[in-house]
Amino acid sequence: MRRASRPLRTFLVRLGGAVFVLWAVATLTFFAIHLVPGDPAQAILGGPGSQASQEALDRVRADYGLDQPLVVQYLAMLGRLLSGDLGDSYSLKVPVAELIGGQLIGTLTLAVLALALAWLIAVGLALWASAPGRVARSVSGAVELTAAALPHFWLATVLIAVFSTSLGWLPPVADDTAAGLVLPVVTLAVPLAGFLAQLMREHLLDALEQPFTVSALARGETGAGIRLRHALRHAVLPAVNLSGWAVGYLISGAVVVETIFARPGLGRTLLRATELRDVPVVVGVVLVVAVVYVVMTVVTDAISGVADPRLRRERSRA
């Protein structure tokens, strides 16, 4: 009975944590967007250039509840969210769920491809750093540090200048082709790869100093075999745990990348909604990103447990 209650307790604790995160995200986003200068009523009537009359503005505020105190508007928003309704966009006059559904796949595709590329680069750099000799370790360390420090907007500008303007190999504007995805994916992946490689390198070098390395050498395994079959597994686990955070980081970075490469997606939608103070869209997009982050955290947590039996035993005893 006691053993059966542990998984249920763990599930309830994680579910409660996820609900708290989503409530906190919705609350902070709602009050933060109201600090941005601008009038939502003007966005509903076509933006600042619409030259709407004061009477029309007052009528819209009354219709949408914008003339109510902020706390009342906040409680009304929470009520809608609890019923599964994200509301309608002020500026586009369409349901927010429909708007997000049309942009979500493009942004997730960009984030997943960037995460996969970042992992490939990070594993390669970590293995290179663990090779014998100080030169490889020093050079790979410098590459990791440089990559992690590169801002998305600067890297995107350089890539466009080199591969689009000078060489003409890739389009400067993202389109529906595979070639149009290359530069946005590389722009998102390189800084994350630098960060993940630093993390993997430290744990890989630490694993190579453990007693099981000596045992493997005594059994006749080569240095490359020990790194690939034994030490690498210990090095990637911390990076797996960070992959949930990494997806949130990549979707945040998509705001810049989608704007620079004129690619449709959640990032551009969020930027435009913030400029227009389109509160339902801003809250909806941020909530969807938070849900993706929570789901990825649960998935990476499960993968870590499968890859490392020690974590499974610790969680079962908790």
Side-chain angles (χ1 to χ4, degrees):
M1 183 68 182
R2 188 179 175 185
R3 285 185 178 179
S5 67
R6 283 175 180 166
L8 178 62
R9 185 179 63 183
T10 302
F11 171 76
L12 292 176
V13 168
R14 290 180 179 176
L15 180 62
V19 171
F20 175 78
V21 168
L22 296 179
W23 167 78
V25 165
T27 300
L28 290 174
T29 305
F30 176 83
F31 286 105
I33 191 63
H34 279 86
L35 296 177
V36 177
D39 187 354
Q42 282 193 334
I44 295 171
L45 292 173
S50 64
Q51 298 182 342
S53 66
Q54 187 61 44
E55 182 182 0
L57 290 171
D58 291 341
R59 187 170 60 252
V60 166
R61 291 190 185 104
D63 291 343
Y64 284 79
L66 299 174
D67 56 347
Q68 298 295 316
L70 196 58
V71 174
V72 175
Q73 295 182 45
Y74 167 68
L75 294 176
M77 180 204 69
L78 285 186
R80 286 198 308 273
L81 293 179
L82 287 174
S83 65
D85 181 11
L86 295 178
D88 294 337
S89 166
Y90 289 165
S91 57
L92 299 176
K93 312 291 188 301
V94 297
V96 174
E98 181 182 317
L99 179 64
I100 292 175
Q103 307 292 332
L104 183 61
I105 297 300
T107 299
L108 285 183
T109 301
L110 185 63
V112 169
L113 290 176
L115 182 62
L117 180 60
W119 263 87
L120 286 175
I121 297 172
V123 170
L125 285 173
L127 289 173
W128 184 27
S130 66
R134 292 185 177 181
V135 175
R137 191 171 303 183
S138 300
V139 174
S140 64
V143 172
E144 294 161 7
L145 186 61
T146 303
L150 291 177
H152 287 132
F153 69 90
W154 183 86
L155 182 58
T157 305
V158 170
L159 290 174
I160 290 173
V162 174
F163 294 99
S164 298
T165 306
S166 299
L167 300 175
W169 290 353
L170 296 166
V173 176
D175 50 29
D176 295 333
T177 64
L181 265 175
V182 173
L183 293 185
V185 168
V186 172
T187 301
L188 275 178
V190 168
L192 178 62
F195 182 78
L196 291 177
Q198 288 179 313
L199 190 65
M200 287 186 195
R201 175 169 54 89
E202 292 178 6
H203 287 81
L204 184 60
L205 295 176
D206 182 62
L208 289 174
E209 296 177 355
Q210 300 302 312
F212 68 80
T213 302
V214 179
S215 301
L217 282 173
R219 292 196 301 271
E221 288 209 41
T222 63
I226 291 173
R227 289 197 296 275
L228 288 172
R229 281 192 290 271
H230 301 286
L232 186 59
R233 186 180 64 175
H234 295 269
V236 299
L237 283 176
V240 168
N241 290 329
L242 280 179
S243 290
W245 163 83
V247 171
Y249 165 83
L250 290 172
I251 293 179
S252 301
V255 174
V256 176
V257 172
E258 288 173 353
T259 302
I260 293 176
F261 291 99
R263 176 184 168 80
L266 286 183
R268 288 184 71 190
T269 302
L270 178 61
L271 181 63
R272 177 173 171 77
T274 303
E275 290 172 347
L276 295 174
R277 290 196 63 187
D278 197 336
V279 178
V281 175
V282 173
V283 173
V285 171
V286 176
L287 268 180
V288 167
V289 174
V291 169
V292 172
Y293 169 78
V294 169
V295 171
M296 283 299 300
T297 301
V298 172
V299 171
T300 55
D301 200 32
I303 293 175
S304 300
V306 172
D308 190 346
R310 294 172 301 176
L311 289 176
R312 249 191 346 263
R313 289 195 291 271
E314 288 175 5
R315 288 165 187 167
S316 64
R317 288 195 296 267

